Amino acid sequence: MKLKQIFSLSMIAMLIFMMTACSNSTDETASKQEQPKAAEEVKDLILATTTSTQDSGLLDVLIPMFEEESNTNVKTIAVGTGQALEMGTKGEADVLLVHAPASEQELVDSGDAVNRKRVMYNDFILVGPANDPAGIKGMKVGEAFQKLFNDGAVFISRGDDSGTHKKELDIWKSHEITPGDNAGYAETGQGMGNTLQVAAEKQGYVITDRATYLAQKENLDLEILVEGDEDLLNIYHVMQVNPEKHDKVYSEGAEEFVEFMINEETQKVIEEFGQEEYGEPLFFPYTE
């Protein structure tokens, strides 16, 4: 074979090799570019809250909003405020949404909770049978409680150390009344929704937050008899469980949830919640 032919064949072989190498490199680069980025890990956030935020349906609106914008999975534990606060002291929750200001402050003072923010408010109301056998309609709440006790009226209490139960006990205590001395007094040990159902079945009186009552009103044979008293204001706060005292809490998610609850968009949702369905809001924005 002539030298010229050998040289030509060598050049052709080299060109083929270079084209193949270039093609492989391009394919590898494209393959790398086509590979999706690893999905960001979704973390769990434990929210301990009162049953009223759950029973009213508010959390069914707010939690999906937060999860969508935060890449967080919220595990909601709806219990009485007392139990929710206890979870905070044990580091068993990351963030708390509750409504017992005096007890909440104790948690802050003990260092178990931080970043406490006021979120919203509504009010407690005293409801009972439409025929109002004790005749308390329109009374001040203290006078109504005294009358119910004196008459031995059926009174259904949550009895679960919730914010509502704490408010009820405060009213009895302020009038130096021991409610258990009334034979008609009974405790359910359950949440607000179930306690309202028991009161309706027994045609008794019960103190409740307005939101849960309005959400369940159609299924209850109970009417609002006492309302508008200053002593019946019901304020909700959100707070983080202190990560410096409880190192297993998800502090970043908890802080994000606190900020979410007080931001302008969320406050607007709270303000409008219930207006279309019930003709009035179930909660009112109340940020500091």
Side-chain angles (χ1 to χ4, degrees), residues 4 10 18 20 22 45-46 48 54 70 79 89 130 135 143 169 185 187 191 196 198 204 208-209 219 244 247 276:
K4 188 175 181 180
S10 298
M18 290 176 65
T20 303
C22 183
L45 178 74
I46 300 176
Q54 183 77 44
S70 67
V79 289
T89 63
E143 296 172 353
L169 294 180
Y185 185 83
E187 295 182 341
L196 279 167
V198 172
T208 174
D209 66 284
N219 301 317
E244 294 185 3
D247 57 6
E276 184 175 343

Side-chain angles (χ1 to χ4, degrees), residues 65-196:
M65 288 174 55
F66 176 72
E67 289 180 330
E68 183 176 353
E69 68 179 54
S70 67
N71 198 37
T72 301
N73 177 48
V74 178
K75 293 187 173 182
T76 303
I77 302 176
V79 289
T81 286
Q83 289 176 265
L85 293 173
E86 186 176 355
M87 289 180 67
T89 63
K90 295 179 178 179
E92 296 175 345
D94 302 308
V95 65
L96 312 175
L97 178 59
V98 285
H99 65 142
S103 298
E104 296 163 21
Q105 188 59 51
E106 291 176 7
L107 210 67
V108 173
D109 292 342
S110 69
D112 287 297
V114 295
N115 197 20
R116 178 173 175 246
K117 301 290 186 180
R118 194 164 53 189
V119 175
M120 60 191 182
Y121 73 96
N122 59 11
D123 61 345
F124 294 107
I125 51 179
L126 186 56
V127 303
N131 63 346
D132 187 19
I136 65 167
K137 187 174 179 63
M139 286 185 174
K140 291 287 188 180
V141 65
E143 296 172 353
F145 268 52
Q146 185 71 64
K147 184 77 162 52
L148 291 171
F149 180 79
N150 292 342
D151 288 8
V154 175
F155 191 102
I156 307 301
S157 169
R158 283 181 60 165
D160 64 348
D161 197 34
S162 61
T164 307
H165 184 221
K166 290 176 183 292
K167 170 59 70 174
E168 176 213 323
L169 294 180
D170 285 345
I171 297 171
W172 292 121
K173 185 177 180 180
S174 67
H175 289 77
E176 299 181 347
I177 298 172
T178 303
D181 290 344
N182 170 17
Y185 185 83
E187 295 182 341
T188 66
Q190 300 182 50
M192 196 69 257
N194 289 338
T195 300
L196 279 167

Side-chain angles (χ1 to χ4, degrees), residues 50-58 78 158 191-194 211-212 215-216:
T50 176
T51 59
S52 59
T53 57
Q54 183 77 44
D55 292 345
S56 66
L58 179 64
R158 283 181 60 165
M192 196 69 257
N194 289 338
T212 308
Q216 300 198 11

